[in-house]
Amino acid sequence: MNSKDLFSPLQLGPSTLTNRIVMAPMTRNRAAEGNIPQEMNRLYYEQRASAGLIITEGAQISPQGAGYPFTPGIYNDEQILGWKKITAAVHQKGGHIFIQLWHVGRISHPSLQPDNALPVAPSAIKPDGDAFTYNGPQPFVEPHALEISEINNIVDDYQQATRHALNAGFDGVEIHAANGYLIDQFLRNGSNNRTDEYGGPPENRSRFLLQVLAAVTSVCDSRRVGVRLSPLNSFNSMRDSDPMTLFSYVVQQLKPLKLAYLHVLEGSMSPLPEGDETFDYKKLAALYDGIYMANHGYDRQSADEAIKSGTADLVSFGIPYIANPDLVERFKADAPLNAPDQASFYGGDETGYTDYPFLSS
């Protein structure tokens, strides 16, 4: 008899999660000047500490990794100190928290880069649309195609950011390899047309991700390292000619690494081109014999069914966690959820950030 449900505990590496409800990583653009986590960020995460696991918003691994205003980093002492206050607050409430390590690649703008440099990418392919800058929307530019020596430097940045994350008290790190950011740009051939050892077949396009994981797990127990993928997500001008083959290969390479989890966005944040709507996520999950975290469009019922049926071990929730700091308690009581205020999702003050009511109030 399967006794697992959304509220049953789970051993995640050295951490014992009290439930299987995960707060998904979500950009909120509320870091202080210098991309330093601040007091309202501490309160925001502390309020949501009843989640089985919190995965923070993406934190850039270097100044070059930034692509949006007011997003936190994890590359200097001031940022580490800011994050220490957050991890301590979450742990004081009995919660667990991973930091998502982020490099946006081409999804940036010279005004957000050191010395107004071009954003970097595997290939000089400009994404569609506008970058969000401190001066409002600005058209994306053609990025600089990384040299191999520069790729190696970024791998080193991931390793150093992991050291910083451990110093800041995080229970683990999530490598952001999804949603059209740098690692995803290497993975998918719509953004990678290289002809060297980082381009062409899936084994070459996966090389950067696997190098990052080798570097990160050399300084952090692999059971404290997760990876996020988004095989079909078209957000940020992303597409691949054969995503099932690509991501099946990627997942088979992840299996022997004994990672904390595989976190998969099962769908797309933007409309998909006709003919791109299908992907066998159950087959992908079955290929991975570790802890599988599902994400995208789940509610209480569908998440509980996924856990009970064994198609997922954890389910992460995004927008419901913006508006419901006590999402676990509301799910347990089958209580109504607060409605999210979309106008306050990105940037601003405490309004729409730390002022959503708790069920108990």
Side-chain angles (χ1 to χ4, degrees):
M1 179 177 169
N2 185 359
S3 60
K4 295 186 301 182
D5 65 17
L6 205 51
F7 308 103
S8 58
L10 177 70
Q11 194 67 34
L12 188 74
S15 300
T16 303
L17 309 186
T18 57
N19 59 71
R20 296 166 186 252
I21 299 167
V22 178
M23 177 178 168
M26 292 175 288
T27 301
R28 302 300 308 276
N29 305 90
R30 282 172 167 86
E33 186 177 351
N35 295 330
I36 298 168
Q38 59 178 321
E39 173 59 22
M40 70 169 161
N41 308 137
R42 182 202 62 77
L43 178 58
Y44 170 72
Y45 286 112
E46 181 184 41
Q47 288 177 337
R48 290 153 178 80
S50 62
L53 176 66
I54 292 172
I55 307 170
T56 73
E57 63 209 279
Q60 49 258 17
I61 59 170
S62 66
Q64 183 196 68
Y68 302 88
F70 303 112
T71 52
I74 184 70
Y75 54 82
N76 65 36
D77 291 342
E78 293 82 6
Q79 293 163 351
I80 294 169
L81 182 60
W83 283 119
K84 275 185 176 179
K85 296 174 183 176
I86 291 170
T87 61
V90 170
H91 290 151
Q92 183 67 32
K93 293 284 189 178
H96 295 88
I97 183 167
F98 276 38
I99 186 171
Q100 188 185 65
L101 300 183
W102 195 25
H103 191 305
V104 303
R106 67 183 187 174
I107 305 300
S108 188
H109 187 267
S111 66
L112 297 166
Q113 292 290 304
D115 303 319
N116 291 302
L118 288 175
V120 300
S123 302
I125 301 172
K126 183 175 75 74
D128 297 331
D130 293 334
F132 296 95
T133 78
Y134 288 97
N135 296 313
Q138 302 284 336
F140 283 122
V141 299
E142 183 179 289
H144 162 67
L146 287 161
E147 303 287 342
I148 288 178
S149 62
E150 295 172 307
I151 293 172
N152 293 333
N153 290 338
I154 294 173
V155 171
D156 291 342
D157 289 339
Y158 274 100
Q159 184 182 64
Q160 184 65 18
T162 302
R163 291 193 184 98
H164 289 166
L166 297 176
N167 290 340
F170 283 100
D171 298 295
V173 301
E174 177 177 280
I175 304 305
H176 194 355
N179 298 357
Y181 299 115
L182 184 62
I183 297 177
D184 198 25
Q185 291 161 27
F186 271 90
L187 288 174
R188 295 203 256 177
N189 58 20
S191 50
N192 179 352
N193 63 10
R194 298 176 74 101
T195 56
D196 61 8
E197 62 262 46
Y198 290 93
E203 53 266 35
N204 284 0
R205 286 181 277 133
S206 305
R207 191 180 306 275
F208 179 52
L209 169 60
L210 297 176
Q211 285 181 323
V212 167
L213 287 170
V216 166
T217 57
S218 73
V219 297
C220 180
D221 184 344
S222 65
R223 299 174 305 153
R224 300 173 65 182
V225 178
V227 172
R228 192 177 206 211
L229 302 174
S230 59
L232 218 58
N233 193 3
S234 65
F235 181 64
N236 285 327
S237 300
M238 295 302 291
R239 192 175 183 190
D240 189 81
S241 62
D242 188 357
M244 198 72 221
T245 297
L246 168 64
F247 286 96
S248 295
Y249 176 82
V250 170
V251 167
Q252 287 169 327
Q253 300 311 299
L254 298 181
K255 281 171 62 174
L257 302 183
K258 305 300 181 188
L259 299 174
Y261 59 78
L262 172 64
H263 185 186
V264 178
L265 188 144
E266 299 177 340
S268 180
M269 297 158 59
S270 300
L272 288 167
E274 189 174 349
D276 280 2
E277 298 89 353
T278 58
F279 188 91
D280 193 340
Y281 293 101
K282 288 185 178 179
K283 181 178 178 182
L284 193 74
L287 282 172
Y288 186 70
D289 58 2
I291 291 173
Y292 180 84
M293 184 188 302
N295 171 268
H296 195 60
Y298 283 85
D299 58 17
R300 182 194 186 282
Q301 181 179 345
S302 60
D304 199 45
E305 288 171 355
I307 301 298
K308 287 177 176 175
S309 68
T311 58
D313 302 290
L314 295 162
V315 178
S316 69
F317 297 86
I319 290 174
Y321 253 121
I322 289 178
N324 299 276
D326 55 349
L327 188 65
V328 172
E329 291 73 21
R330 288 176 185 267
F331 277 176
K332 277 184 178 177
D334 205 14
L337 301 184
N338 295 323
D341 171 28
Q342 194 161 356
S344 60
F345 279 6
Y346 305 111
D349 57 16
E350 292 83 356
T351 303
Y353 189 61
T354 57
D355 63 348
Y356 283 103
F358 285 74
L359 189 62
S360 57
S361 63

